[in-house]
Amino acid sequence: MARRTIGVKLGLISDVHGNRPALDAVLDDMPDVDECIHAGDVVGYGPYPEAVLEAFRERDIVSIQGNHDRAVLGDFHENFHGIPKAAALWTADRLSDDDLAYLDALPVERVRHDGRVRVVHGAPDRPNQYVYPEDFEPSLLAGEDVLVLGHTHMQASETFDAGIVVNPGSVGLPRDGDWRAAYAVLDLDERTVECRRVEYPKERVQARIEEYGLPEALVGGLEHGELVFGRTKRSVDDDI
């Protein structure tokens, strides 16, 4: 185990996906933290990509690049098609050159706090691969105290002797059956994670999705906290 950091609290978020009302609700609900860290997919799906990027800059949110961020830049992996691709193309048309440059400059992973916190989007060695809560195991850790994951949109945390593996869940489009925006608070000193949920005005987001002509499935996904594109989670290694 790496040495402990005294008194550091971190806000952990992931998969905002262009949902500014959900992001605002999370940031308003979040207690005082030393840093807010985002595990990828700033944009994609949601109808407020410009406003979300504005918030990331204003609040100095530390982020990595997710697969939807890469898709907005034109990098579609082999399973990226249909609704996700349509939303990515729509998002790319909305963003300024500065916004696109911001996304392009994001790293695929980050190591923070003297190596104690590692942030990735998918699997540590495969950024497009899902790591579901049942896949959490000590072998995912590589000497860091805490591994922060995103991508599945499923909130979970597990503590091992080797350290903590945590997915704070999705801010903008949860897929674990709970529509509320998800995030977590990490105490590095105590080695504890508090997973939290907060309501936000999802009806406003749903109306904006319909107004902009984004895929209708996104409206139901926000309503029920679940978005499935006709495939099982184990059907492919790399997913959307």
Side-chain angles (χ1 to χ4, degrees):
M1 291 290 293
R3 69 184 187 276
R4 297 164 71 189
T5 298
I6 303 300
V8 174
K9 288 190 177 181
L10 304 176
L12 306 179
I13 61 176
S14 190
D15 296 278
V16 172
H17 279 291
N19 188 336
R20 180 64 189 260
L23 177 61
D24 287 344
V26 163
L27 296 176
D28 288 344
D29 186 73
M30 188 180 291
D32 288 339
V33 295
D34 296 284
E35 185 173 65
C36 185
I37 295 176
H38 178 255
D41 281 352
V42 183
V43 296
Y45 292 136
Y48 301 90
E50 312 101 303
V52 165
L53 284 163
E54 180 182 41
F56 268 58
R57 293 188 184 99
E58 289 178 349
R59 301 292 291 265
D60 292 325
I61 295 172
V62 175
S63 186
I64 61 168
Q65 196 180 73
N67 60 313
H68 285 257
D69 302 321
R70 290 189 290 278
V72 168
L73 296 167
D75 180 5
F76 302 107
H77 60 72
E78 60 181 341
N79 296 304
F80 206 100
H81 51 76
I83 292 172
K85 187 171 184 178
L89 293 172
W90 178 90
T91 300
D93 285 342
R94 301 279 303 187
L95 297 181
S96 68
D97 289 344
D98 286 345
D99 289 335
L100 294 171
Y102 174 91
L103 294 175
D104 191 44
L106 294 176
V108 174
E109 71 170 70
R110 289 185 187 268
V111 177
R112 306 289 293 175
H113 300 279
D114 298 324
R116 299 174 183 89
V117 180
R118 185 182 181 192
V119 189
V120 299
H121 187 61
D125 57 345
R126 297 188 68 185
N128 294 331
Q129 181 175 315
Y130 283 142
V131 179
Y132 289 93
E134 60 265 31
D135 301 323
F136 288 6
E137 57 184 34
S139 65
L140 292 169
L141 295 149
E144 65 272 9
D145 287 338
V146 181
L147 175 66
V148 184
L149 306 162
H151 197 32
T152 66
H153 299 211
M154 294 182 177
Q155 188 180 62
S157 175
E158 191 159 352
T159 300
F160 305 98
D161 289 342
I164 297 169
V165 179
V166 55
N167 187 326
S170 174
V171 171
L173 192 60
R175 292 183 180 178
D176 54 7
D178 185 341
W179 67 268
R180 297 174 299 167
Y183 75 100
V185 178
L186 167 67
D187 188 316
L188 271 178
D189 180 31
E190 299 296 331
R191 294 182 69 238
T192 60
V193 176
E194 180 188 4
C195 291
R196 305 178 70 156
R197 307 298 282 244
V198 59
E199 294 187 1
Y200 71 95
K202 69 177 185 297
E203 296 82 4
R204 186 158 50 123
V205 184
Q206 291 168 318
R208 184 65 63 90
I209 287 170
E210 293 176 336
E211 176 187 348
Y212 286 158
L214 283 160
E216 184 68 22
L218 297 172
V219 173
L222 288 173
E223 185 68 27
H224 304 293
E226 186 175 13
L227 185 64
V228 178
F229 300 118
R231 65 177 68 191
T232 64
K233 68 184 181 182
R234 297 295 186 183
S235 63
V236 291
D237 288 333
D238 296 327
D239 216 329
I240 49 182

